[in-house]
Amino acid sequence: MRPAPFRLIVVTGAAALALGACSPKEAAAPAAPDGAPAASDAPVTARPTQTRSVDVMVQGVSEVGATVRVKKVDMAEDATIVDVSISFAGQATGNVEMASGPTYLQLPNGQKLMLKAPEGNPNMNIRNGDTMNGRLVFMGAVPPGTLSVSLVFNEGSTSDSIIGPFIRMEIPLRAAPAAAGAAG
């Protein structure tokens, strides 16, 4: 079963961006036909997939006025999903494309998990004054124990590009320490 696409909500303006999303595979009991009893002793052939989620608060800004805020990273066995808020407010152009060049998560060993092109807006075009909220899907898994990844938009471009600005952000993948002074 293929998951339904997740759509970004445009806070201002009329543009809409649809981002493809994957959800981790879930082990579910097979559905029984109407009126038939469900098999209770059927062998289990699938194991639930563990998804590791990390809340983060990281922001990257380009010289042309594009801002990317990363809120959460979900790491599953087949994909890595990054919750983002992307805004654009610049004077040089009416819109920018946040994925007109190679856009990916880079692992510490140099491997690149490429962005799955969002449905309906593969270059992630955003108009001046708009904010898009949604989930970016990167094809591949982040290995357990990885402490950080780099999120790269428009590799090979420059931060002041009015077409597709370059942004590189370091994303920590460990939970923040507990608040000091907590009684236990």
Side-chain angles (χ1 to χ4, degrees):
M1 183 170 111
R2 181 183 163 121
F6 181 83
R7 302 219 182 264
L8 277 180
I9 299 167
V10 177
V11 175
T12 60
L17 173 66
L19 295 180
C22 342
S23 60
K25 295 177 189 171
E26 297 175 350
D34 288 344
S40 60
D41 58 345
V44 176
T45 58
R47 293 180 297 156
T49 301
Q50 295 273 328
T51 299
R52 184 170 70 112
S53 296
V54 178
D55 292 326
V56 295
M57 292 301 278
V58 177
Q59 179 171 288
V61 180
S62 72
E63 291 177 41
V64 76
T67 301
V68 177
R69 287 169 301 286
V70 176
K71 302 172 183 181
K72 183 178 180 181
V73 179
D74 292 324
M75 294 163 279
E77 80 178 31
D78 294 329
T80 303
I81 303 166
V82 180
D83 288 357
V84 296
S85 178
I86 304 172
S87 303
F88 176 58
Q91 301 297 318
T93 186
N95 66 295
V96 292
E97 294 181 345
M98 296 307 298
S100 60
T103 299
Y104 53 85
L105 283 176
Q106 186 167 20
L107 303 177
N109 67 4
Q111 287 182 338
K112 297 175 182 178
L113 307 181
M114 301 308 291
L115 175 69
K116 179 180 178 183
E119 290 181 28
N121 193 353
N123 291 336
M124 292 176 41
N125 185 52
I126 182 170
R127 290 181 172 176
N128 195 351
D130 283 353
T131 295
M132 300 183 297
N133 295 295
R135 305 181 85 196
L136 301 176
V137 177
F138 295 89
M139 306 308 289
V142 173
T146 301
L147 299 178
S148 67
V149 294
S150 295
L151 176 54
V152 177
F153 291 88
N154 294 316
E155 177 185 55
S157 188
T158 60
S159 180
D160 63 351
S161 170
I162 62 170
I163 297 170
F166 171 79
I167 296 178
R168 181 181 191 93
M169 306 164 57
E170 192 71 17
I171 311 296
L173 297 178
R174 56 188 172 279

